[in-house]
Amino acid sequence: MALTENCRTYQTPKDSGCAQSCSSDVVELNVGGQVYYTRHATLTSVPNSLLGKLFSAKKDVSNDLAQDIKGRYFIDRDGFLFRYVLDYLRDKSVVLPDYFPEKGRLKREAEFFQLPELVKILTADENIHGDFDEASQGSDQRLFPASYLDARDRRYGFITVGYRSPCAFGRDTDAKTRGLPKIFICGRVGLAKEVFGDTLNESRDPDRPAERYTSQFYLKFRHLERAFDMLAESGFHVVACNSSLTASPHNRHTDDKYWSNNAEYVFYR
């Protein structure tokens, strides 16, 4: 079966020294410019798939696939997503990152490589996320802590934790002058309430519906580690962070300044 839409038949000259043959145990592939090494048995592990048919011992693969200048079999598909196709061929399952925006494109790759079971897995995963989205619009009342819930019953989304810690350098270093650190919470209201519960101060944005978003909540405690523990217990993990140090004049007659440490941590579940 030839890849008529993506590859052209390429006859390697006899003196070119092809890097591999179909019978070799290790196969070198060039998929969209990304080079992969895998076993012949892996490529044929699903016999009715496109790769299973192409690399079947009964076929001369050199007649169906083009080769690059180094003799590697060339497949004109997405080189980044092919790693997940290989994972499925190896393990008959696939593990994707929690935030994976390429799922639709990966499903298309699975269809191209004629892997119906992988298509089913990706389709079922899309349905689960659809259920999450519907649940996120409903009540945020929980009978049990989030840690007791099945993973499929949890709501997904982002929570941003902002940390501001004022300080002063110079003659005036009194704690009252510096102020106290404060932890801000940004995200969907229902999700924030689920994680932080009664430790959430909603005075700046009261009576906001659970399905709406806010950037005005802050925590009643001042220890970042406690906030991180609560997020971890609810199944969140950090995906990004940044920090900065800013200064403003404290006294125009001196060199004293107010300094503020600002940091943000983005969590996802």
Side-chain angles (χ1 to χ4, degrees):
M1 182 178 188
L3 296 179
T4 55
E5 296 181 359
N6 298 283
C7 301
R8 62 182 179 83
T9 301
Y10 181 85
Q11 300 293 339
T12 306
K14 295 182 179 180
D15 58 349
S16 64
C18 181
Q20 57 200 333
S21 68
C22 185
S23 60
S24 65
D25 188 49
V26 177
V27 181
E28 189 174 3
L29 300 174
N30 178 344
V31 184
Q34 298 288 327
V35 177
Y36 289 92
Y37 292 87
T38 188
R39 296 173 66 91
H40 181 265
T42 299
L43 296 174
T44 58
S45 63
V46 180
N48 291 327
S49 70
L50 179 59
L51 292 173
K53 296 172 184 176
L54 285 172
F55 287 90
S56 169
K58 299 178 181 180
K59 287 189 67 67
D60 182 4
V61 68
S62 63
N63 290 329
D64 291 308
L65 284 176
Q67 292 175 309
D68 65 13
I69 59 175
K70 292 188 177 180
R72 295 178 289 232
Y73 296 124
F74 179 75
I75 302 175
D76 191 14
R77 300 299 295 184
D78 191 306
F80 171 77
L81 295 177
F82 188 72
R83 69 185 67 185
Y84 300 108
V85 174
L86 273 184
D87 284 346
Y88 174 77
L89 292 176
R90 295 182 184 112
D91 306 322
K92 302 305 177 289
S93 63
V94 63
V95 178
L96 302 177
D98 288 334
Y99 178 65
F100 187 70
E102 306 288 347
K103 196 167 297 180
R105 296 181 61 191
L106 178 57
K107 182 179 175 182
R108 186 172 62 191
E109 295 300 301
E111 292 170 345
F112 174 82
F113 286 108
Q114 301 173 15
L115 297 168
E117 292 303 317
L118 178 55
V119 173
K120 288 181 181 179
I121 292 173
L122 296 172
T123 302
D125 193 58
E126 287 177 356
N127 292 335
I128 291 171
H129 278 268
D131 294 338
F132 281 169
D133 195 50
E134 291 176 6
S136 69
Q137 304 302 321
S139 171
D140 61 315
Q141 297 297 318
R142 293 290 184 178
L143 297 177
F144 302 99
S147 57
Y148 287 89
L149 299 176
D150 184 86
R152 295 188 178 187
D153 190 43
R154 296 185 184 183
R155 286 176 293 178
Y156 71 101
F158 290 90
I159 288 181
T160 299
V161 178
Y163 181 74
R164 185 176 66 194
S165 177
C167 53
F169 296 102
R171 297 182 180 86
D172 189 359
T173 58
D174 182 70
K176 294 181 180 179
T177 303
R178 293 198 306 268
L180 297 173
K182 186 169 290 187
I183 303 174
F184 297 91
I185 301 298
C186 307
R188 194 161 63 238
V189 172
L191 204 59
K193 287 182 177 180
E194 176 194 332
V195 175
F196 298 106
D198 294 336
T199 65
L200 205 60
N201 191 322
E202 305 173 43
S203 61
R204 292 186 176 181
D205 197 5
D207 304 321
R208 194 164 184 82
E211 70 274 8
R212 301 295 297 276
Y213 289 79
T214 182
S215 59
Q216 299 296 317
F217 289 174
Y218 62 95
L219 299 179
K220 297 176 182 179
F221 55 85
R222 298 191 296 272
H223 298 94
L224 267 176
E225 293 77 10
R226 182 178 175 186
F228 294 165
D229 284 344
M230 296 175 76
L231 285 159
E233 289 170 2
S234 297
F236 285 81
H237 63 272
V238 66
V239 294
C241 64
N242 69 78
S243 63
S244 63
L245 189 66
T246 59
S248 59
H250 170 46
N251 189 325
R252 63 181 180 178
H253 301 296
T254 69
D255 293 331
D256 295 343
K257 294 182 179 180
Y258 281 123
W259 291 82
S260 180
N261 177 30
N262 301 282
E264 286 186 342
Y265 305 86
V266 181
F267 289 82
Y268 178 77
R269 182 181 69 189

